[in-house]
Amino acid sequence: MPQDPQDPQDPPQTHPQTPDHDHDLDALVVGTGFAGIYALHALAQDGLRVQAIDRARDVGGTWYRNRYPGALSDTWSYLYRYSFDAELLRDYPAASRYSTQPEVLEYLRHVVARYDLRRHMRFETVMEGAAWDETSKKWRVRCRDISKTAEGKEEGQYTYTVRYLVTALGLLHEPVIPDIPGLKEGVFQGEVVHTAAWDPQTSLAGKRVGVIGVGSSGVQVVTAIARTVASLHVFIRRPQYSVPANDRPLTPTERAAINAAYPALWADVRASHLGMGFAESSRKFLAVSPADRERILETLWREGNGLQLMFGGFSDLTTDAAANAAVCRFLRRKIAAVVADPRTARVLTPQEPYARRPLSDAGYYAQFNRAHVHAVDVRTHPITAVEAQGLRTADGTLYELDTLVLATGFDALDGSYARVHIQGRDADDLHARWRRTGSACYLGCAVAGFPNLLLVSGPMAAFANVPPLTETNVEFLRDLIRAAEATTRRTGGAPCEIEATPAAERAWTAHCEATARKTLFAQAPSWMFGANVPGKRPASRLYFGGLGPFRAKLAEVQARGWVGFKEPLGTAGVLRAHSHL
Ligand code: NA7
């Protein structure tokens, strides 16, 4: 299965203008998705000698690797972008309500070109490991240049020596390959492709296709390909609720209104919980009459977007089990109204609470009314093997396929660190430590024992719209670096290190867990809690308190002299969970 398939549309490879042997820098950014691009830009603006590397052949991160048909962001297009450049916000196209994967990738390439960032970037470069050198107070980052592998030449190995290591590895990066006998052994004679490592050359038209998984990726790919394939079998273990996205072009009048409102829109986004740009309701579900609840839910269904349905009509759907159950009944009625065959509808209808990452679709349920599209219940009859001709299920049926699509998700958040070996003080390995003791992380950006390692949206960052979350995180770590540099200049002694205290890291991680436990999300096993990866510790990897409160915490940490970071940078105290300035 290809990890990073080549795309003829990838731009020609460039390398940083620094000589090859000059790998002694102020900072290295690992990853060139939304987070890495902005981190590189912010640090370069500050005059740091910085480069960014990426395993892929181009920028984009998630939006480069997830090039499957139907991939779409479910945030309003005009808010699924950076806010730091007012002119770009205003002038860059927002053709429709949502952005497709090619549009997001094009946007990111445009930003990179606009700020001439490619000259600081090196692609097809894998960070294999990094080790903190206590003597020099620098990270030694071992890298492998994989660009020559395709030509059969020897891969290059080299080391960056940097003061700051900024990991922008992405929240959803590492694909999960299910443990189905025969899959990894490669016995299937057809093609296997994972949505998170999609080969753009893959053609599904006229093929007998099987899709495993019906999270966001599965729902999107199924909806996009159903019309053109010869047959489609969708293997469904735990169906999820999906709400129409209701995509449509934005009119010039709407675009003009958005442009005029941008400052206020971003202020609302930054103060809100989700940062999605819709008004989040403060109305409790059971405080509203049954007739009004139905009317509100109908309006939300028609207006579209799963996140908006979950948070835009009522404030307590993710905390009040009775309210949630009532909305589940509403959503099940909607599925029954669309899907003609009751047996198929049963396979597609969830019985669990509406408490996973909400999905949005472009007509998912209706695809199952096509005679050649089948919902296969693999909860009752699990998949037992991948065979030469296709998939075998426990009832003995063999589903013959030409192409098998794995829409089986990600080893999310801390999972992005599984393939890199980052050794901090005492040679402790970051991912090994997280597996041993849980994914503790202070404010999603710093880990005790790992000085000057700055994570962008690492574990325990807020669950929110990615671009404003990314900007929040990057600006915080940029300010940390500025403070560390200023402290070094002021003391005139050893370089000031940025390092979370164990107590602050523990307190923030416990606060994240306690916040998550108050929500129904904690009861529905999903990637957000590590439940989709066998052997992973079941715990929250996100802060469910909201982007606004998260930003307030970061502001408080800064205002209180970097509380929770070690001296001499910080005051080494512990940020109280409910403290206010
Ligand atoms: P998700 O949401 O983790 O979904 C993965 C899907 O794959 C889910 O339906 C799983 O079923 C299914 N799956 C995984 N392994 C198997 C096996 N062995 N048999 C049957 N089904 C299986 O990943 P996505 O990529 O869709 O979305 C992740 C996030 O990306 C999304 O929330 C957005 O934020 C963007 P299960 O539910 O475990 O029964």
Side-chain angles (χ1 to χ4, degrees), residues 66 172 176 178-180 195 212-218 235-240 356-357 359 378 383 407-410 525 527 532:
N66 287 254
L172 297 157
V176 168
D179 194 11
I180 303 171
T195 46
I212 303 180
V214 286
S216 279
S217 309
F235 298 91
I236 302 174
R237 190 167 59 187
R238 286 188 308 137
Q240 298 191 43
R356 294 210 253 170
R357 161 73 162 83
L359 311 186
V378 294
I383 302 165
T408 45
F410 300 86
W527 59 264
N532 63 330

PDB file of all heavy atoms in Angstrom, residues 66 172 176 178-180 195 212-218 235-240 356-357 359 378 383 407-410 525 527 532, ligand 1:
ATOM      1  N   ASN A  66      -4.991  12.940   1.917  1.00  0.00           N
ATOM      2  CA  ASN A  66      -6.381  12.452   1.837  1.00  0.00           C
ATOM      3  C   ASN A  66      -7.030  12.902   0.530  1.00  0.00           C
ATOM      4  O   ASN A  66      -7.999  13.648   0.516  1.00  0.00           O
ATOM      5  CB  ASN A  66      -7.178  12.944   3.039  1.00  0.00           C
ATOM      6  CG  ASN A  66      -6.796  12.215   4.309  1.00  0.00           C
ATOM      7  OD1 ASN A  66      -7.533  11.371   4.798  1.00  0.00           O
ATOM      8  ND2 ASN A  66      -5.610  12.523   4.838  1.00  0.00           N
ATOM      9  N   LEU A 172      -4.534  14.169  12.565  1.00  0.00           N
ATOM     10  CA  LEU A 172      -5.035  12.960  11.903  1.00  0.00           C
ATOM     11  C   LEU A 172      -4.065  12.648  10.765  1.00  0.00           C
ATOM     12  O   LEU A 172      -4.185  13.183   9.674  1.00  0.00           O
ATOM     13  CB  LEU A 172      -6.446  13.213  11.367  1.00  0.00           C
ATOM     14  CG  LEU A 172      -7.485  13.514  12.450  1.00  0.00           C
ATOM     15  CD1 LEU A 172      -8.652  14.277  11.893  1.00  0.00           C
ATOM     16  CD2 LEU A 172      -7.956  12.241  13.124  1.00  0.00           C
ATOM     17  N   VAL A 176      -4.884   3.967  10.140  1.00  0.00           N
ATOM     18  CA  VAL A 176      -5.074   2.691  10.835  1.00  0.00           C
ATOM     19  C   VAL A 176      -5.383   1.617   9.787  1.00  0.00           C
ATOM     20  O   VAL A 176      -6.308   1.764   8.999  1.00  0.00           O
ATOM     21  CB  VAL A 176      -6.248   2.770  11.839  1.00  0.00           C
ATOM     22  CG1 VAL A 176      -6.627   1.378  12.336  1.00  0.00           C
ATOM     23  CG2 VAL A 176      -5.904   3.666  13.009  1.00  0.00           C
ATOM     24  N   PRO A 178      -6.683  -2.070   9.472  1.00  0.00           N
ATOM     25  CA  PRO A 178      -7.325  -3.055  10.354  1.00  0.00           C
ATOM     26  C   PRO A 178      -6.612  -4.396  10.327  1.00  0.00           C
ATOM     27  O   PRO A 178      -6.003  -4.763   9.320  1.00  0.00           O
ATOM     28  CB  PRO A 178      -8.747  -3.160   9.800  1.00  0.00           C
ATOM     29  CG  PRO A 178      -8.707  -2.590   8.431  1.00  0.00           C
ATOM     30  CD  PRO A 178      -7.533  -1.672   8.348  1.00  0.00           C
ATOM     31  N   ASP A 179      -6.712  -5.068  11.448  1.00  0.00           N
ATOM     32  CA  ASP A 179      -6.018  -6.349  11.595  1.00  0.00           C
ATOM     33  C   ASP A 179      -6.921  -7.468  11.067  1.00  0.00           C
ATOM     34  O   ASP A 179      -7.504  -8.215  11.835  1.00  0.00           O
ATOM     35  CB  ASP A 179      -5.681  -6.539  13.087  1.00  0.00           C
ATOM     36  CG  ASP A 179      -4.679  -7.651  13.276  1.00  0.00           C
ATOM     37  OD1 ASP A 179      -4.107  -8.112  12.258  1.00  0.00           O
ATOM     38  OD2 ASP A 179      -4.495  -8.085  14.425  1.00  0.00           O
ATOM     39  N   ILE A 180      -7.037  -7.560   9.763  1.00  0.00           N
ATOM     40  CA  ILE A 180      -7.882  -8.591   9.140  1.00  0.00           C
ATOM     41  C   ILE A 180      -6.949  -9.618   8.485  1.00  0.00           C
ATOM     42  O   ILE A 180      -6.080  -9.235   7.682  1.00  0.00           O
ATOM     43  CB  ILE A 180      -8.809  -7.980   8.064  1.00  0.00           C
ATOM     44  CG1 ILE A 180      -9.678  -6.874   8.679  1.00  0.00           C
ATOM     45  CG2 ILE A 180      -9.683  -9.060   7.429  1.00  0.00           C
ATOM     46  CD1 ILE A 180     -10.465  -6.071   7.652  1.00  0.00           C
ATOM     47  N   THR A 195      -7.946   5.714   2.484  1.00  0.00           N
ATOM     48  CA  THR A 195      -8.346   7.105   2.214  1.00  0.00           C
ATOM     49  C   THR A 195      -7.270   8.100   2.661  1.00  0.00           C
ATOM     50  O   THR A 195      -7.124   9.169   2.051  1.00  0.00           O
ATOM     51  CB  THR A 195      -9.670   7.443   2.927  1.00  0.00           C
ATOM     52  OG1 THR A 195      -9.610   6.974   4.275  1.00  0.00           O
ATOM     53  CG2 THR A 195     -10.859   6.812   2.216  1.00  0.00           C
ATOM     54  N   ILE A 212     -14.501  -0.305   3.580  1.00  0.00           N
ATOM     55  CA  ILE A 212     -14.614  -0.623   5.008  1.00  0.00           C
ATOM     56  C   ILE A 212     -14.553   0.694   5.765  1.00  0.00           C
ATOM     57  O   ILE A 212     -13.583   1.447   5.641  1.00  0.00           O
ATOM     58  CB  ILE A 212     -13.464  -1.528   5.506  1.00  0.00           C
ATOM     59  CG1 ILE A 212     -13.414  -2.823   4.691  1.00  0.00           C
ATOM     60  CG2 ILE A 212     -13.642  -1.838   6.986  1.00  0.00           C
ATOM     61  CD1 ILE A 212     -12.294  -3.775   5.121  1.00  0.00           C
ATOM     62  N   GLY A 213     -15.595   0.977   6.558  1.00  0.00           N
ATOM     63  CA  GLY A 213     -15.579   2.167   7.400  1.00  0.00           C
ATOM     64  C   GLY A 213     -16.547   3.229   6.932  1.00  0.00           C
ATOM     65  O   GLY A 213     -16.614   3.537   5.738  1.00  0.00           O
ATOM     66  N   VAL A 214     -17.274   3.766   7.892  1.00  0.00           N
ATOM     67  CA  VAL A 214     -18.255   4.809   7.584  1.00  0.00           C
ATOM     68  C   VAL A 214     -18.158   5.964   8.586  1.00  0.00           C
ATOM     69  O   VAL A 214     -19.162   6.445   9.097  1.00  0.00           O
ATOM     70  CB  VAL A 214     -19.692   4.234   7.529  1.00  0.00           C
ATOM     71  CG1 VAL A 214     -19.885   3.430   6.263  1.00  0.00           C
ATOM     72  CG2 VAL A 214     -20.010   3.407   8.767  1.00  0.00           C
ATOM     73  N   GLY A 215     -16.918   6.415   8.872  1.00  0.00           N
ATOM     74  CA  GLY A 215     -16.727   7.702   9.548  1.00  0.00           C
ATOM     75  C   GLY A 215     -16.803   8.779   8.471  1.00  0.00           C
ATOM     76  O   GLY A 215     -17.305   8.547   7.365  1.00  0.00           O
ATOM     77  N   SER A 216     -16.244   9.959   8.743  1.00  0.00           N
ATOM     78  CA  SER A 216     -16.259  11.060   7.765  1.00  0.00           C
ATOM     79  C   SER A 216     -15.731  10.615   6.417  1.00  0.00           C
ATOM     80  O   SER A 216     -16.339  10.881   5.379  1.00  0.00           O
ATOM     81  CB  SER A 216     -15.346  12.196   8.228  1.00  0.00           C
ATOM     82  OG  SER A 216     -15.993  12.971   9.151  1.00  0.00           O
ATOM     83  N   SER A 217     -14.576   9.917   6.431  1.00  0.00           N
ATOM     84  CA  SER A 217     -13.930   9.549   5.173  1.00  0.00           C
ATOM     85  C   SER A 217     -14.790   8.566   4.399  1.00  0.00           C
ATOM     86  O   SER A 217     -15.004   8.722   3.191  1.00  0.00           O
ATOM     87  CB  SER A 217     -12.552   8.927   5.431  1.00  0.00           C
ATOM     88  OG  SER A 217     -11.794   9.755   6.280  1.00  0.00           O
ATOM     89  N   GLY A 218     -15.299   7.534   5.084  1.00  0.00           N
ATOM     90  CA  GLY A 218     -16.105   6.528   4.409  1.00  0.00           C
ATOM     91  C   GLY A 218     -17.376   7.120   3.829  1.00  0.00           C
ATOM     92  O   GLY A 218     -17.731   6.842   2.677  1.00  0.00           O
ATOM     93  N   PHE A 235     -18.983  -1.974   4.062  1.00  0.00           N
ATOM     94  CA  PHE A 235     -18.929  -2.872   5.216  1.00  0.00           C
ATOM     95  C   PHE A 235     -19.050  -2.027   6.486  1.00  0.00           C
ATOM     96  O   PHE A 235     -18.153  -1.247   6.813  1.00  0.00           O
ATOM     97  CB  PHE A 235     -17.628  -3.684   5.181  1.00  0.00           C
ATOM     98  CG  PHE A 235     -17.553  -4.556   3.946  1.00  0.00           C
ATOM     99  CD1 PHE A 235     -16.959  -4.079   2.777  1.00  0.00           C
ATOM    100  CD2 PHE A 235     -18.118  -5.828   3.935  1.00  0.00           C
ATOM    101  CE1 PHE A 235     -16.909  -4.866   1.624  1.00  0.00           C
ATOM    102  CE2 PHE A 235     -18.075  -6.613   2.783  1.00  0.00           C
ATOM    103  CZ  PHE A 235     -17.479  -6.139   1.628  1.00  0.00           C
ATOM    104  N   ILE A 236     -20.180  -2.196   7.173  1.00  0.00           N
ATOM    105  CA  ILE A 236     -20.540  -1.273   8.266  1.00  0.00           C
ATOM    106  C   ILE A 236     -20.595  -2.020   9.588  1.00  0.00           C
ATOM    107  O   ILE A 236     -21.386  -2.959   9.760  1.00  0.00           O
ATOM    108  CB  ILE A 236     -21.915  -0.626   7.967  1.00  0.00           C
ATOM    109  CG1 ILE A 236     -21.853   0.111   6.622  1.00  0.00           C
ATOM    110  CG2 ILE A 236     -22.312   0.304   9.102  1.00  0.00           C
ATOM    111  CD1 ILE A 236     -23.188   0.663   6.162  1.00  0.00           C
ATOM    112  N   ARG A 237     -19.733  -1.586  10.503  1.00  0.00           N
ATOM    113  CA  ARG A 237     -19.730  -2.228  11.822  1.00  0.00           C
ATOM    114  C   ARG A 237     -20.589  -1.408  12.794  1.00  0.00           C
ATOM    115  O   ARG A 237     -21.511  -1.905  13.386  1.00  0.00           O
ATOM    116  CB  ARG A 237     -18.288  -2.338  12.332  1.00  0.00           C
ATOM    117  CG  ARG A 237     -18.160  -3.201  13.563  1.00  0.00           C
ATOM    118  CD  ARG A 237     -16.715  -3.538  13.851  1.00  0.00           C
ATOM    119  NE  ARG A 237     -15.887  -2.351  14.048  1.00  0.00           N
ATOM    120  CZ  ARG A 237     -14.559  -2.386  14.183  1.00  0.00           C
ATOM    121  NH1 ARG A 237     -13.915  -3.533  14.115  1.00  0.00           N
ATOM    122  NH2 ARG A 237     -13.879  -1.278  14.373  1.00  0.00           N
ATOM    123  N   ARG A 238     -20.247  -0.157  12.959  1.00  0.00           N
ATOM    124  CA  ARG A 238     -21.072   0.716  13.825  1.00  0.00           C
ATOM    125  C   ARG A 238     -21.447   1.940  12.998  1.00  0.00           C
ATOM    126  O   ARG A 238     -20.648   2.862  12.838  1.00  0.00           O
ATOM    127  CB  ARG A 238     -20.285   1.136  15.067  1.00  0.00           C
ATOM    128  CG  ARG A 238     -20.132  -0.005  16.094  1.00  0.00           C
ATOM    129  CD  ARG A 238     -19.532   0.480  17.381  1.00  0.00           C
ATOM    130  NE  ARG A 238     -18.310   1.211  17.131  1.00  0.00           N
ATOM    131  CZ  ARG A 238     -17.959   2.352  17.729  1.00  0.00           C
ATOM    132  NH1 ARG A 238     -18.753   2.908  18.603  1.00  0.00           N
ATOM    133  NH2 ARG A 238     -16.817   2.927  17.439  1.00  0.00           N
ATOM    134  N   PRO A 239     -22.664   1.963  12.462  1.00  0.00           N
ATOM    135  CA  PRO A 239     -23.048   3.111  11.636  1.00  0.00           C
ATOM    136  C   PRO A 239     -23.071   4.386  12.466  1.00  0.00           C
ATOM    137  O   PRO A 239     -23.190   4.336  13.691  1.00  0.00           O
ATOM    138  CB  PRO A 239     -24.453   2.734  11.166  1.00  0.00           C
ATOM    139  CG  PRO A 239     -24.950   1.740  12.165  1.00  0.00           C
ATOM    140  CD  PRO A 239     -23.747   1.003  12.656  1.00  0.00           C
ATOM    141  N   GLN A 240     -22.913   5.521  11.783  1.00  0.00           N
ATOM    142  CA  GLN A 240     -22.962   6.815  12.486  1.00  0.00           C
ATOM    143  C   GLN A 240     -24.081   7.666  11.904  1.00  0.00           C
ATOM    144  O   GLN A 240     -24.533   7.426  10.792  1.00  0.00           O
ATOM    145  CB  GLN A 240     -21.632   7.545  12.322  1.00  0.00           C
ATOM    146  CG  GLN A 240     -20.458   6.788  12.916  1.00  0.00           C
ATOM    147  CD  GLN A 240     -19.204   7.633  12.983  1.00  0.00           C
ATOM    148  OE1 GLN A 240     -19.248   8.791  13.358  1.00  0.00           O
ATOM    149  NE2 GLN A 240     -18.086   7.044  12.617  1.00  0.00           N
ATOM    150  N   ARG A 356     -20.262  10.988  18.572  1.00  0.00           N
ATOM    151  CA  ARG A 356     -18.936  10.946  17.939  1.00  0.00           C
ATOM    152  C   ARG A 356     -18.787  12.224  17.145  1.00  0.00           C
ATOM    153  O   ARG A 356     -19.699  13.044  17.087  1.00  0.00           O
ATOM    154  CB  ARG A 356     -18.827   9.715  17.050  1.00  0.00           C
ATOM    155  CG  ARG A 356     -18.878   8.428  17.879  1.00  0.00           C
ATOM    156  CD  ARG A 356     -18.096   7.324  17.217  1.00  0.00           C
ATOM    157  NE  ARG A 356     -18.968   6.337  16.639  1.00  0.00           N
ATOM    158  CZ  ARG A 356     -18.528   5.365  15.822  1.00  0.00           C
ATOM    159  NH1 ARG A 356     -17.248   5.298  15.503  1.00  0.00           N
ATOM    160  NH2 ARG A 356     -19.358   4.486  15.319  1.00  0.00           N
ATOM    161  N   ARG A 357     -17.628  12.420  16.536  1.00  0.00           N
ATOM    162  CA  ARG A 357     -17.417  13.604  15.710  1.00  0.00           C
ATOM    163  C   ARG A 357     -18.544  13.638  14.679  1.00  0.00           C
ATOM    164  O   ARG A 357     -18.648  12.728  13.860  1.00  0.00           O
ATOM    165  CB  ARG A 357     -16.044  13.511  15.069  1.00  0.00           C
ATOM    166  CG  ARG A 357     -15.769  14.352  13.856  1.00  0.00           C
ATOM    167  CD  ARG A 357     -15.621  15.817  14.224  1.00  0.00           C
ATOM    168  NE  ARG A 357     -14.958  16.552  13.169  1.00  0.00           N
ATOM    169  CZ  ARG A 357     -15.558  17.038  12.082  1.00  0.00           C
ATOM    170  NH1 ARG A 357     -16.854  16.859  11.896  1.00  0.00           N
ATOM    171  NH2 ARG A 357     -14.860  17.714  11.190  1.00  0.00           N
ATOM    172  N   LEU A 359     -20.980  13.966  11.549  1.00  0.00           N
ATOM    173  CA  LEU A 359     -20.673  13.862  10.124  1.00  0.00           C
ATOM    174  C   LEU A 359     -21.624  14.724   9.304  1.00  0.00           C
ATOM    175  O   LEU A 359     -22.766  14.953   9.694  1.00  0.00           O
ATOM    176  CB  LEU A 359     -20.811  12.412   9.657  1.00  0.00           C
ATOM    177  CG  LEU A 359     -20.122  11.322  10.482  1.00  0.00           C
ATOM    178  CD1 LEU A 359     -20.258   9.981   9.779  1.00  0.00           C
ATOM    179  CD2 LEU A 359     -18.659  11.656  10.696  1.00  0.00           C
ATOM    180  N   VAL A 378     -21.405  -5.815   9.169  1.00  0.00           N
ATOM    181  CA  VAL A 378     -20.274  -6.610   9.662  1.00  0.00           C
ATOM    182  C   VAL A 378     -20.155  -6.550  11.189  1.00  0.00           C
ATOM    183  O   VAL A 378     -19.142  -6.936  11.744  1.00  0.00           O
ATOM    184  CB  VAL A 378     -18.934  -6.230   8.972  1.00  0.00           C
ATOM    185  CG1 VAL A 378     -18.985  -6.586   7.493  1.00  0.00           C
ATOM    186  CG2 VAL A 378     -18.569  -4.781   9.172  1.00  0.00           C
ATOM    187  N   ILE A 383     -15.994  -9.250   9.339  1.00  0.00           N
ATOM    188  CA  ILE A 383     -15.089  -9.646   8.258  1.00  0.00           C
ATOM    189  C   ILE A 383     -14.096 -10.639   8.862  1.00  0.00           C
ATOM    190  O   ILE A 383     -13.480 -10.351   9.895  1.00  0.00           O
ATOM    191  CB  ILE A 383     -14.335  -8.417   7.712  1.00  0.00           C
ATOM    192  CG1 ILE A 383     -15.336  -7.360   7.214  1.00  0.00           C
ATOM    193  CG2 ILE A 383     -13.372  -8.825   6.605  1.00  0.00           C
ATOM    194  CD1 ILE A 383     -14.724  -5.982   7.001  1.00  0.00           C
ATOM    195  N   ALA A 407     -11.415   2.898   4.675  1.00  0.00           N
ATOM    196  CA  ALA A 407     -11.729   4.214   5.252  1.00  0.00           C
ATOM    197  C   ALA A 407     -11.743   4.027   6.757  1.00  0.00           C
ATOM    198  O   ALA A 407     -12.720   4.354   7.443  1.00  0.00           O
ATOM    199  CB  ALA A 407     -13.077   4.699   4.727  1.00  0.00           C
ATOM    200  N   THR A 408     -10.646   3.451   7.233  1.00  0.00           N
ATOM    201  CA  THR A 408     -10.612   2.943   8.601  1.00  0.00           C
ATOM    202  C   THR A 408      -9.933   3.894   9.589  1.00  0.00           C
ATOM    203  O   THR A 408      -9.594   3.499  10.699  1.00  0.00           O
ATOM    204  CB  THR A 408      -9.923   1.556   8.621  1.00  0.00           C
ATOM    205  OG1 THR A 408      -8.738   1.627   7.807  1.00  0.00           O
ATOM    206  CG2 THR A 408     -10.824   0.490   8.064  1.00  0.00           C
ATOM    207  N   GLY A 409      -9.748   5.129   9.198  1.00  0.00           N
ATOM    208  CA  GLY A 409      -9.383   6.162  10.145  1.00  0.00           C
ATOM    209  C   GLY A 409      -7.908   6.255  10.487  1.00  0.00           C
ATOM    210  O   GLY A 409      -7.032   5.740   9.771  1.00  0.00           O
ATOM    211  N   PHE A 410      -7.672   6.897  11.624  1.00  0.00           N
ATOM    212  CA  PHE A 410      -6.317   7.320  11.994  1.00  0.00           C
ATOM    213  C   PHE A 410      -5.970   6.891  13.422  1.00  0.00           C
ATOM    214  O   PHE A 410      -6.833   6.865  14.298  1.00  0.00           O
ATOM    215  CB  PHE A 410      -6.234   8.854  11.982  1.00  0.00           C
ATOM    216  CG  PHE A 410      -6.551   9.460  10.653  1.00  0.00           C
ATOM    217  CD1 PHE A 410      -7.867   9.742  10.298  1.00  0.00           C
ATOM    218  CD2 PHE A 410      -5.542   9.778   9.756  1.00  0.00           C
ATOM    219  CE1 PHE A 410      -8.168  10.319   9.074  1.00  0.00           C
ATOM    220  CE2 PHE A 410      -5.833  10.349   8.525  1.00  0.00           C
ATOM    221  CZ  PHE A 410      -7.156  10.622   8.187  1.00  0.00           C
ATOM    222  N   PRO A 525     -16.969   5.164  21.944  1.00  0.00           N
ATOM    223  CA  PRO A 525     -15.575   4.910  21.572  1.00  0.00           C
ATOM    224  C   PRO A 525     -15.234   5.495  20.203  1.00  0.00           C
ATOM    225  O   PRO A 525     -15.952   5.252  19.237  1.00  0.00           O
ATOM    226  CB  PRO A 525     -15.485   3.386  21.538  1.00  0.00           C
ATOM    227  CG  PRO A 525     -16.880   2.879  21.633  1.00  0.00           C
ATOM    228  CD  PRO A 525     -17.776   3.974  22.076  1.00  0.00           C
ATOM    229  N   TRP A 527     -11.838   7.791  17.793  1.00  0.00           N
ATOM    230  CA  TRP A 527     -10.420   8.160  17.696  1.00  0.00           C
ATOM    231  C   TRP A 527     -10.052   9.252  18.711  1.00  0.00           C
ATOM    232  O   TRP A 527      -8.901   9.361  19.114  1.00  0.00           O
ATOM    233  CB  TRP A 527     -10.077   8.610  16.270  1.00  0.00           C
ATOM    234  CG  TRP A 527     -10.863   9.788  15.738  1.00  0.00           C
ATOM    235  CD1 TRP A 527     -11.985   9.734  14.964  1.00  0.00           C
ATOM    236  CD2 TRP A 527     -10.575  11.180  15.921  1.00  0.00           C
ATOM    237  NE1 TRP A 527     -12.412  11.001  14.654  1.00  0.00           N
ATOM    238  CE2 TRP A 527     -11.564  11.916  15.222  1.00  0.00           C
ATOM    239  CE3 TRP A 527      -9.572  11.894  16.593  1.00  0.00           C
ATOM    240  CZ2 TRP A 527     -11.588  13.307  15.186  1.00  0.00           C
ATOM    241  CZ3 TRP A 527      -9.596  13.278  16.559  1.00  0.00           C
ATOM    242  CH2 TRP A 527     -10.599  13.969  15.870  1.00  0.00           C
ATOM    243  N   ASN A 532     -10.124   3.496  18.762  1.00  0.00           N
ATOM    244  CA  ASN A 532     -10.116   2.819  17.453  1.00  0.00           C
ATOM    245  C   ASN A 532      -8.804   2.100  17.176  1.00  0.00           C
ATOM    246  O   ASN A 532      -8.636   1.537  16.100  1.00  0.00           O
ATOM    247  CB  ASN A 532     -10.376   3.843  16.340  1.00  0.00           C
ATOM    248  CG  ASN A 532      -9.297   4.898  16.264  1.00  0.00           C
ATOM    249  OD1 ASN A 532      -8.688   5.232  17.276  1.00  0.00           O
ATOM    250  ND2 ASN A 532      -9.034   5.414  15.093  1.00  0.00           N
TER     251      ASN A 532
HETATM  252  P1  NA7 B   1     -13.090   7.181  11.736  1.00  0.00           P
HETATM  253  O1  NA7 B   1     -14.091   8.209  12.075  1.00  0.00           O
HETATM  254  O2  NA7 B   1     -12.215   6.675  12.820  1.00  0.00           O
HETATM  255  O3  NA7 B   1     -13.880   5.952  11.072  1.00  0.00           O
HETATM  256  C1  NA7 B   1     -13.254   4.733  10.822  1.00  0.00           C
HETATM  257  C2  NA7 B   1     -14.286   3.748  10.339  1.00  0.00           C
HETATM  258  O4  NA7 B   1     -13.650   2.521  10.035  1.00  0.00           O
HETATM  259  C3  NA7 B   1     -15.364   3.427  11.355  1.00  0.00           C
HETATM  260  O5  NA7 B   1     -16.591   3.326  10.705  1.00  0.00           O
HETATM  261  C4  NA7 B   1     -14.915   2.078  11.887  1.00  0.00           C
HETATM  262  O6  NA7 B   1     -15.937   1.299  12.407  1.00  0.00           O
HETATM  263  C5  NA7 B   1     -14.369   1.458  10.647  1.00  0.00           C
HETATM  264  N1  NA7 B   1     -13.512   0.318  10.877  1.00  0.00           N
HETATM  265  C6  NA7 B   1     -12.227   0.308  11.326  1.00  0.00           C
HETATM  266  N2  NA7 B   1     -11.774  -0.963  11.400  1.00  0.00           N
HETATM  267  C7  NA7 B   1     -12.788  -1.754  10.992  1.00  0.00           C
HETATM  268  C8  NA7 B   1     -12.935  -3.166  10.844  1.00  0.00           C
HETATM  269  N3  NA7 B   1     -11.944  -4.014  11.156  1.00  0.00           N
HETATM  270  N4  NA7 B   1     -14.125  -3.650  10.403  1.00  0.00           N
HETATM  271  C9  NA7 B   1     -15.119  -2.802  10.101  1.00  0.00           C
HETATM  272  N5  NA7 B   1     -15.045  -1.460  10.221  1.00  0.00           N
HETATM  273  C10 NA7 B   1     -13.883  -0.951  10.664  1.00  0.00           C
HETATM  274  O7  NA7 B   1     -12.112   7.671  10.579  1.00  0.00           O
HETATM  275  P2  NA7 B   1     -12.367   8.725   9.403  1.00  0.00           P
HETATM  276  O8  NA7 B   1     -11.153   8.730   8.552  1.00  0.00           O
HETATM  277  O9  NA7 B   1     -13.643   8.466   8.729  1.00  0.00           O
HETATM  278  O10 NA7 B   1     -12.537  10.109  10.122  1.00  0.00           O
HETATM  279  C11 NA7 B   1     -11.611  10.560  11.109  1.00  0.00           C
HETATM  280  C12 NA7 B   1     -11.744  12.051  11.289  1.00  0.00           C
HETATM  281  O11 NA7 B   1     -11.144  12.694  10.151  1.00  0.00           O
HETATM  282  C13 NA7 B   1     -13.144  12.580  11.288  1.00  0.00           C
HETATM  283  O12 NA7 B   1     -13.784  12.446  12.522  1.00  0.00           O
HETATM  284  C14 NA7 B   1     -12.952  14.021  10.881  1.00  0.00           C
HETATM  285  O13 NA7 B   1     -12.577  14.803  11.983  1.00  0.00           O
HETATM  286  C15 NA7 B   1     -11.808  13.950   9.895  1.00  0.00           C
HETATM  287  P3  NA7 B   1     -16.326   1.362  13.994  1.00  0.00           P
HETATM  288  O14 NA7 B   1     -17.028   2.666  14.158  1.00  0.00           O
HETATM  289  O15 NA7 B   1     -15.025   1.300  14.746  1.00  0.00           O
HETATM  290  O16 NA7 B   1     -17.166   0.173  14.202  1.00  0.00           O
END
